[in-house]
Amino acid sequence: MSSTRSAADDWRETIDETDAAIVDGYQSGFPIAERPFRVVGDALGIDEDEALDRVRRLREDGIFRRFGAVLNPPVIGSSTLAAVKAPEDRFDEIAEVINGYRQVNHNYARDHEWNMWFVVTAGSQETRDRILEEIEERTGCTVLVLPMLTDYYIDLEFPVVNADSFARESLEDGTDASATRISEDAAGGLSPLDAALLLAIQDGFPLSRTPYDDIAAELATDLECEVCVEEVLEGVSRLQDEGCIKRVGCIVNHVVTGFDANCMVVWDVPDDRLDEWGERAGSLPYVTLCYHRPRRPDLEWPYNLFTMIHGRDQSAVDAKIDELTEEYLPVTHERLYSTETLKQTGAQYEALVS
């Protein structure tokens, strides 16, 4: 199979029922066990090597971006969404400057006056803010800084082996969208082992029969001490319980699987209704992200609630945004469709060790 695939290709024709069970069934909940592919194989009625080979092939074909842990940037590091107004004749130059920072893990072009949106995650708020200042100085562009203040719902885990026109269309139940306040400070109190473990797994787990053993061997080299697999298994479980790890599984490439009509919608919600309306919107099955960020009236940015809807069909996404406007968020809003992925990697946490 080709190692690259466009979203226009019918990728579903290249997978069978077992592949589909892996793609939709193991975006989270992948066993935290010494031989995880043996556990998965037993559940699917195949042997360990076939389970591993299937995940490896789905990764090589681009259907999975990676295999491993999804870390939680606002909990581990100091993270913020930011945007600039990049002049068309300098767009590529400015993108190159921004993407050159290892702490920038996502960068998207969007159809808006603020046309370049990126995420900076650093080991401290001081480092984060220094990077933002450097970006302003090096590009000559004012940076719109919008740290997350409240999380209502954030989860990009949803079925993709279907013909749904928007994410979570086939799911009937709502979701827990309780307001969770987010600190701009990085996580404190990480043990040397936990910090080293996060660094070791930030780009994914090894695709082998014994990924946790392989991680233990890497940590033993980095820390210059003996690390056993039980310590790694306990550490991953503990970091997941503490919220530093959101889930362990196969991370789907939503663009490759056809969900490329993705719209960020920003809303001007009355401050006294923010939690009520944020929780209400975040509980809707078709809303994949919902969070509160600050207004920036000094930069003529009046919006304080952000939602995302992922879809295969822009008309279906627009219809859902219309529904949001009419039934749940009857306020001024703007639709910022992503037009190009400029950078997409896992957040980097190298500063946590120091």
Side-chain angles (χ1 to χ4, degrees):
M1 293 185 182
S2 169
S3 61
T4 59
R5 193 190 309 277
S6 73
D9 292 333
D10 191 357
W11 61 277
R12 287 184 294 275
E13 292 182 358
T14 71
I15 66 173
D16 61 18
E17 291 184 3
T18 303
D19 287 335
I22 294 173
V23 172
D24 278 355
Y26 286 98
Q27 294 178 36
S28 66
F30 213 92
I32 302 174
E34 189 168 356
R35 301 291 286 265
F37 291 97
R38 178 180 292 173
V39 179
V40 170
D42 288 345
L44 297 176
I46 57 178
D47 65 29
E48 176 183 33
D49 286 340
E50 183 178 348
L52 172 59
D53 288 344
R54 284 175 179 269
V55 171
R56 184 180 288 130
R57 173 172 47 80
L58 290 165
R59 170 66 182 87
E60 290 171 351
D61 287 348
I63 293 169
F64 291 152
R65 289 177 48 218
R66 57 190 171 86
F67 158 67
V70 176
L71 305 188
N72 198 353
V75 172
I76 304 171
S78 183
S79 183
T80 188
L81 178 68
V84 296
K85 300 176 182 178
E88 185 176 352
D89 61 347
R90 298 184 58 224
F91 191 89
D92 291 345
E93 169 203 338
I94 290 169
E96 185 176 359
V97 169
I98 292 173
N99 292 347
Y101 287 92
R102 196 161 185 258
Q103 292 88 349
V104 171
N105 52 298
H106 287 177
N107 190 4
Y108 298 97
R110 295 194 179 276
D111 185 15
H112 190 266
E113 180 183 15
W114 294 94
N115 58 354
M116 191 178 298
W117 290 77
F118 55 98
V119 176
V120 177
T121 302
S124 68
Q125 184 176 350
E126 180 183 12
T127 301
R128 185 202 74 184
D129 292 346
R130 175 181 56 77
I131 290 169
L132 293 166
E133 290 173 4
E134 287 182 7
I135 288 173
E136 279 198 331
E137 293 172 1
R138 294 178 62 192
T139 64
C141 296
T142 298
V143 178
L144 177 67
V145 181
L146 300 168
M148 187 186 303
L149 302 179
T150 307
D151 164 6
Y152 298 110
Y153 182 74
I154 301 177
D155 194 354
L156 290 180
E157 178 189 357
F158 52 82
V160 298
V161 187
N162 51 43
D164 290 357
S165 54
F166 55 87
R168 304 168 62 85
E169 181 178 357
S170 26
L171 302 181
E172 296 180 357
D173 296 334
T175 52
D176 179 10
S178 303
T180 302
R181 308 303 177 202
I182 304 297
S183 170
E184 290 189 67
D185 294 328
L190 288 171
S191 70
L193 177 61
D194 283 351
L197 177 56
L198 287 171
L199 294 180
I201 66 176
Q202 63 184 341
D203 293 324
F205 292 174
L207 273 169
S208 73
R209 292 178 183 174
T210 56
Y212 296 99
D213 280 289
D214 295 344
I215 294 167
E218 179 182 345
L219 290 175
T221 299
D222 292 344
L223 296 175
E224 298 181 344
C225 66
E226 185 175 346
V227 179
C228 64
V229 66
E230 288 78 13
E231 290 178 283
V232 173
L233 294 170
E234 291 170 3
V236 170
S237 296
R238 180 176 59 255
L239 290 167
Q240 187 166 18
D241 290 341
E242 294 173 355
C244 293
I245 294 175
K246 296 181 70 174
R247 55 188 167 99
V248 175
C250 300
I251 292 79
V252 167
N253 187 325
H254 294 110
V255 173
V256 168
T257 54
F259 288 92
D260 55 355
N262 305 326
C263 191
M264 181 175 76
V265 191
V266 293
W267 311 82
D268 182 5
V269 173
D271 292 336
D272 61 352
R273 308 298 295 273
L274 186 57
D275 279 350
E276 176 193 353
W277 288 9
E279 291 179 351
R280 183 170 64 179
S283 68
L284 298 170
Y286 54 83
V287 174
T288 49
L289 307 175
C290 185
Y291 37 76
H292 164 214
R293 298 186 185 275
R295 307 178 193 274
R296 289 293 306 274
D298 54 321
L299 296 177
E300 299 183 349
W301 183 263
Y303 306 108
N304 58 349
L305 186 70
F306 288 60
T307 59
M308 279 287 297
I309 298 177
H310 287 67
R312 291 191 172 105
D313 183 300
Q314 183 169 332
S315 62
V317 172
D318 278 330
K320 284 301 174 184
I321 297 172
D322 291 341
E323 181 181 323
L324 264 176
T325 304
E326 294 165 5
E327 300 184 20
Y328 301 98
L329 297 171
V331 293
T332 301
H333 70 279
E334 289 195 65
R335 308 179 187 204
L336 286 72
Y337 273 96
S338 57
T339 57
E340 184 182 358
T341 300
L342 305 172
K343 184 178 183 181
Q344 187 176 50
T345 64
Q348 306 297 311
Y349 302 100
E350 69 278 6
L352 285 177
V353 177
S354 58

